[in-house]
Amino acid sequence: MSRDIDDLPERLGLLRDAVATKNLTRGVLTGQEDPPLVALSRTSELIDKPDSRWSTRPLRELFEDAMRLHTEDRTHADAWLAPRLHATLRLTRAEAAETALWNFVALVIAPDYVVWRHLPRSKGDGKAAVTADRFCGPHYKQSFARLWWAAELFRDGEDYRPAVTACRNQDVLNTVLRLDVIDHRPTARAVTRLIEQGIVTTGREVNALATAINVAGSTLMYDVLAPDDGPDTEALHYWISEGDTAPPVSRTSLPDGPEDGEIPRDSVSTLVEQFEKLFVEAPVRGRAFPRARDGGEPSK
């Protein structure tokens, strides 16, 4: 399964869920056949806006480079691709919430990437298949939407490094990304700060932290405890408009995101302290007792 860049439509489009799922045959999910490029292109609503961000070629080239650079470990492609996808496909959150756009990217532009990244390792019996939600699914499951949203929710203004931290841990992508509280920027940054500090390391610990944060969020109002004025909408739209003249994203260094405001440091520090307390008492599979703080004895 592959796509020749010269055969692709020049512009991105919208491929509705019903059409996408109809074309997710067993052959497509196992990587043994291609989704029908011509038929899907004709069925899609091509985006006729003049902005260069709707061009297919930069995305296809980016996906090809991701596969070429990460042949040894496919999961490493997530942290590399997420910020570059976000900086290449410059969208508002409302635009990124359109599942039909991601369906088009997955089935028309890069079905081979979806299979390459998500096909389970098998013993060659031909039974392994990608789950359909990697092509057409919610934002925390769909192959490309989850990376774009991870970059959007975990970045700190123009700094994508926290998003890279998040994407290096599959349990952040699989568990934390689906939490509603992660829409609050200081909450997202506090999670990556705990990972950066080595307080939370394993996948089980990430899942325990996510559960604790989510449960506590029903009584603790994080947006009151850690206020954030939110990103600068005008700066975001300016960054989007700059995409028409921006060069292709670097393959060796991180791009810059929109200069729409750093997350308040005091708010992040407040939540780091709060979340560390929650994590100390959180049950972690395989951990006999809650982790001790400051090198002390674990609580019993």
Side-chain angles (χ1 to χ4, degrees):
M1 178 186 292
S2 62
R3 286 289 195 242
D4 189 321
I5 197 168
D6 293 324
D7 293 335
L8 297 177
E10 294 184 0
R11 314 291 288 175
L12 292 173
L14 303 178
L15 180 64
R16 299 303 170 186
D17 290 350
V19 179
T21 55
K22 181 180 179 181
N23 284 275
L24 291 176
T25 64
R26 177 70 183 176
V28 169
L29 297 177
T30 58
Q32 296 176 346
E33 65 182 48
D34 293 333
L37 174 60
V38 174
L40 289 174
S41 298
R42 288 176 177 172
T43 309
S44 301
E45 305 165 34
L46 295 184
I47 298 173
D48 59 2
K49 298 177 182 179
D51 316 42
S52 63
R53 63 192 176 120
W54 303 116
S55 299
T56 59
R57 180 174 289 270
L59 285 180
R60 180 63 208 181
E61 291 174 345
L62 187 63
F63 300 147
E64 289 179 354
D65 286 343
M67 290 186 282
R68 177 178 57 82
L69 293 170
H70 299 90
T71 56
E72 296 300 321
D73 192 330
R74 298 171 298 170
T75 60
H76 288 176
D78 291 344
W80 184 90
L81 181 56
R84 291 170 175 83
L85 172 60
H86 187 273
T88 299
L89 188 53
R90 302 188 180 197
L91 304 171
T92 65
R93 290 192 178 189
E95 291 169 334
E98 177 57 83
T99 59
L101 174 64
W102 301 113
N103 295 341
F104 185 92
V105 175
L107 275 88
V108 177
I109 305 302
D112 53 337
Y113 183 92
V114 180
V115 171
W116 172 83
R117 172 62 186 85
H118 296 290
L119 186 68
R121 301 293 188 185
S122 69
K123 297 180 181 179
D125 55 10
K127 295 181 179 180
V130 177
T131 57
D133 55 15
R134 297 300 190 183
F135 283 94
C136 176
H139 75 279
Y140 53 83
K141 291 288 288 185
Q142 204 272 353
S143 186
F144 301 111
R146 71 188 190 113
L147 298 181
W148 191 97
W149 279 103
E152 171 66 13
L153 295 173
F154 289 104
R155 67 182 175 86
D156 187 356
E158 65 178 329
D159 186 1
Y160 283 119
R161 287 177 296 177
V164 172
T165 296
C167 292
R168 283 176 176 162
N169 190 304
Q170 290 300 303
D171 288 278
V172 174
L173 291 175
N174 295 334
T175 303
V176 179
L177 188 60
R178 68 178 64 198
L179 302 180
D180 290 340
V181 293
I182 295 301
D183 287 346
H184 181 236
R185 297 197 307 164
T187 295
R189 185 66 185 103
V191 170
T192 55
R193 185 70 61 78
L194 289 172
I195 295 173
E196 291 166 356
Q197 294 175 351
I199 296 170
V200 177
T201 56
T202 68
R204 289 180 178 180
E205 291 177 349
V206 167
N207 290 331
L209 176 65
T211 300
I213 290 174
N214 202 41
V215 171
S218 63
T219 55
L220 293 175
M221 300 182 66
Y222 295 143
D223 56 344
V224 174
L225 187 64
D228 177 28
D229 292 335
D232 182 338
T233 302
E234 184 176 340
L236 172 64
H237 284 283
Y238 178 74
W239 178 76
I240 290 174
S241 69
E242 279 190 315
D244 285 335
T245 56
V249 295
S250 172
R251 272 43 172 175
T252 57
S253 59
L254 280 178
D256 292 328
E259 297 183 25
D260 54 359
E262 294 182 356
I263 303 170
R265 294 185 180 183
D266 289 344
S267 293
V268 175
S269 297
T270 296
L271 289 185
V272 166
E273 182 178 356
Q274 182 67 44
F275 291 169
E276 187 175 358
K277 292 177 182 177
L278 293 174
F279 177 65
V280 167
E281 300 301 326
V284 178
R285 288 179 55 201
R287 190 171 77 184
F289 301 104
R291 174 177 285 185
R293 300 183 69 197
D294 303 325
E297 291 297 323
S299 58
K300 300 182 180 180

